[in-house]
Amino acid sequence: MLFETVTPEECGVRSEDILSFIDCLCAAEPDQESHALLLIRHGKLLAEGYFSPYRQDMAHNLFSISKTFTSTAVGFAMSEGYFGLDDSLGTLIPMPDGAAEGAANITIRNLLTMSTGHAGEPVHAGGASRYDIEDWATAFLQQELKWPSGTMFQYNGFASYMLSYLIYQKTGQNLIDYLKPRLFDPLDIPVPFYSKDAKGIFIGFSSMRLTARDLAKMGQLYLQNGVWKGKQLLPKGWVALATQRHIDTSHVTTGEDWNQGYCFHFWRGRHNTFRFCGAFGQMCVVMPDYDAIFVTQSGFDNDKIKYILECFYDKILSRMQDGPCQPNPEAYDMLQRRLKNLSLLERYSTVSPLADRINGQEFRLEPNKLYDSVSFAFTDDTCHVTLFGGQNLVFEAGLKAPCLSESTHSHLVAIEKEDFATLSATAYWSDPHTFVVTARLLPTQTILRVTVDIKTNTAAAQTIRGNL
């Protein structure tokens, strides 16, 4: 492990405060889940834990943390002379027929600060899926501008795509390939999974996957102002420029830490922090005043992710000390046991006098986007589940422990266009006549839940943070 492991007390953090923070995460609302956490201070690892079935070696969906890597690539490209912050699109690439008025004047700075002037993304126009658009750059440039560029923050993933597109046009390399010798190799991060558009260009705004440890390396690099193992890895001055507040975000409704201003694809936060931030609670919080970083990978609804930061500030950051704390071996041992045995709440039950009523039977599902009916077949310890529709989904659910099943059903996953997932599924009787199957699509944040009520002879399927 790159980071030396020490007791939290050696770096001014109390083990009992980390335990209190974990208690808060475990006390979140139903279906709001933490998957991983790391706390690093003074370059030392104080705490690391994974909520089973999520694991240390699992590359987890980053969603918009992907934008951080796009921004970093822009920093390299500017230092290498490919373009400048105030260069406009009209001077960098040809404008398509039908380009919107003002589109040619959008600058690199506008793209980085999400201030292009668009009211939204072309992906959402007419309810179309982004993957139904063949030429994303043209769609972006043809979309009408509502405000003058540079005047209004409006979150826009296609601004990130355009930066990736520009790097491809100017360097001849996909952004991920461009970053490999400049960033991934020096940090010893394997080339991550990522999605491409129809032209093979990295989408820029989402889809990357990294382990929590690899994300911590990126956070530590930014905490150290781009220096890695004594070498200036990032362009000098880039971190200070890229992580300062560039535009007002007081109108954003996600939470107070989203109102502190937007940087170059980073968010400013309270306590002089800045964050890599992605949907459903993917965060790397960099705390320069405390020489610390906090990484969390999660499955929280977007309107609830502020809970994670509020708990962290209250239980840990506000109680950090400048010097070492009094050693507390008992609390430290308790913390180690807790971190080693973290697990998401699973419910099991093999007992119901009515189980034979659903064994081998097919039930019509309440109307949904994908499936028409469901069937169950029991063995001693598992339930074989089949969802019937345009594309059947088949998996095993454990009655005593989670069962793993491979799946290519990317259509269930929210936001991303995934090519695979592993289902970790359990099943239980919530009462003698109600059977519930819960399947997590690893490494995503999507939960599939199927319920059958024998009393009413009805069944339903739904996804949490998914597309059903």
Side-chain angles (χ1 to χ4, degrees):
M1 174 60 173
L2 172 70
F3 302 101
E4 177 190 357
T5 300
V6 300
T7 68
E9 285 74 14
E10 291 177 66
C11 291
V13 179
R14 301 192 310 165
S15 293
E16 54 262 48
D17 292 338
I18 301 176
L19 283 164
S20 294
F21 174 61
I22 294 172
D23 286 341
C24 286
L25 294 180
C26 294
E29 295 179 26
D31 295 324
Q32 309 305 308
E33 304 179 342
S34 293
H35 299 160
L37 65 94
L38 279 87
L39 179 62
I40 294 168
R41 194 177 192 199
H42 307 326
K44 308 293 178 64
L45 179 64
L46 312 189
E48 178 181 23
Y50 301 87
F51 291 76
S52 177
Y54 295 86
R55 307 183 310 273
Q56 181 187 93
D57 63 349
M58 185 177 288
H60 196 280
N61 280 25
L62 299 183
F63 292 99
S64 285
I65 287 182
S66 306
K67 295 180 174 72
T68 297
F69 291 86
T70 298
S71 173
T72 302
V74 169
F76 281 119
M78 289 198 306
S79 72
E80 294 168 11
Y82 288 107
F83 43 69
L85 262 182
D86 295 309
D87 286 350
S88 65
L89 293 182
T91 65
L92 295 172
I93 54 176
M95 290 293 104
D97 293 340
E101 183 179 354
N105 298 325
I106 296 171
T107 66
I108 299 295
R109 187 189 301 271
N110 301 153
L111 295 171
L112 285 167
T113 57
M114 302 284 184
S115 60
T116 61
H118 295 107
E121 300 182 0
V123 61
H124 297 306
S129 164
R130 59 170 64 96
Y131 295 103
D132 293 335
I133 300 173
E134 185 173 345
D135 189 332
W136 290 9
T138 296
F140 175 88
L141 294 166
Q142 289 177 339
Q143 188 183 20
E144 181 182 358
L145 275 62
K146 182 176 181 179
W147 305 285
S149 297
T151 61
M152 173 65 73
F153 172 84
Q154 178 67 46
Y155 206 66
N156 187 338
F158 269 62
S160 308
Y161 169 77
M162 288 303 296
L163 292 169
S164 180
Y165 175 82
L166 285 168
I167 285 175
Y168 181 79
Q169 293 297 319
K170 295 301 178 181
T171 71
Q173 288 184 286
N174 217 321
L175 184 146
I176 300 297
D177 297 329
Y178 177 72
L179 282 179
K180 184 179 185 299
R182 294 166 175 81
L183 184 73
F184 297 129
D185 289 349
L187 295 183
D188 195 25
I189 295 176
V191 173
F193 171 90
Y194 65 97
S195 294
K196 306 173 185 177
D197 71 355
K199 298 177 182 291
I201 300 171
F202 169 50
I203 63 176
F205 53 82
S206 192
S207 82
M208 286 177 59
R209 294 175 180 164
L210 287 178
T211 67
R213 285 187 167 194
D214 287 338
L215 186 54
K217 294 177 186 177
M218 187 70 166
Q220 189 69 23
L221 175 67
Y222 268 83
L223 179 62
Q224 296 170 175
N225 288 310
V227 175
W228 192 254
K229 296 183 178 180
K231 178 182 177 182
Q232 186 70 47
L233 184 59
L234 299 181
K236 196 168 184 178
W238 169 253
V239 172
L241 175 66
T243 64
Q244 67 182 261
R245 179 185 184 273
H246 286 281
I247 194 164
D248 177 70
T249 58
S250 58
H251 56 289
V252 175
T253 60
T254 307
E256 191 173 354
D257 278 274
W258 284 259
N259 300 143
Q260 308 303 308
Y262 197 66
C263 317
F264 287 172
H265 283 20
F266 302 83
W267 292 87
R268 292 301 303 182
R270 289 173 288 172
H271 310 293
N272 192 35
T273 63
F274 63 89
R275 300 187 310 287
F276 318 165
C277 203
F280 309 133
Q282 320 322 307
M283 286 185 279
C284 177
V285 183
V286 182
M287 300 163 271
D289 293 352
Y290 298 85
D291 190 27
I293 63 170
F294 164 59
V295 172
T296 180
Q297 295 176 324
S298 311
F300 272 67
D301 295 342
N302 288 328
D303 61 347
K304 295 180 171 64
I305 57 178
K306 62 184 179 181
Y307 175 82
I308 302 171
L309 287 177
E310 290 168 353
C311 291
F312 178 78
Y313 293 155
D314 179 45
K315 300 301 183 183
I316 296 182
L317 184 141
S318 67
R319 305 181 190 194
M320 285 183 177
Q321 299 182 13
D322 292 336
C325 300
Q326 183 70 27
N328 189 337
E330 183 178 352
Y332 178 69
D333 289 345
M334 186 181 301
L335 174 62
Q336 296 314 297
R337 290 194 298 272
R338 187 77 180 276
L339 290 169
K340 184 178 179 180
N341 295 295
L342 290 174
S343 180
L344 297 177
L345 178 64
E346 304 282 11
R347 299 183 64 182
Y348 309 103
S349 173
T350 60
V351 180
S352 170
L354 303 177
D356 287 343
R357 293 269 300 274
I358 71 170
N359 191 24
Q361 300 301 308
E362 185 173 341
F363 293 84
R364 174 67 59 178
L365 289 166
E366 293 178 0
N368 63 76
K369 297 178 183 178
L370 299 173
Y371 301 115
D372 302 316
S373 60
V374 61
S375 71
F376 308 94
F378 291 93
T379 64
D380 290 340
D381 298 332
T382 64
C383 177
H384 185 80
V385 182
T386 304
L387 288 159
F388 299 96
Q391 194 175 10
N392 293 352
L393 175 60
V394 181
F395 61 94
E396 303 293 326
L399 299 168
K400 295 182 178 179
C403 285
L404 298 179
S405 305
E406 295 303 313
S407 171
T408 57
H409 283 61
S410 60
H411 52 269
L412 287 171
V413 180
I415 299 180
E416 308 285 20
K417 183 181 181 182
E418 304 295 349
D419 65 338
F420 62 88
T422 297
L423 275 69
S424 175
T426 59
Y428 74 102
W429 293 90
S430 61
D431 58 53
H433 56 79
T434 307
F435 187 62
V436 181
V437 175
T438 299
R440 290 182 174 84
L441 277 71
L442 310 178
T444 80
Q445 297 75 10
T446 297
I447 300 172
L448 169 66
R449 184 161 291 137
V450 182
T451 304
V452 59
D453 186 334
I454 300 174
K455 184 185 294 185
T456 60
N457 201 38
T458 59
Q462 65 172 136
T463 51
I464 295 98
R465 296 175 293 274
N467 292 328
L468 188 59

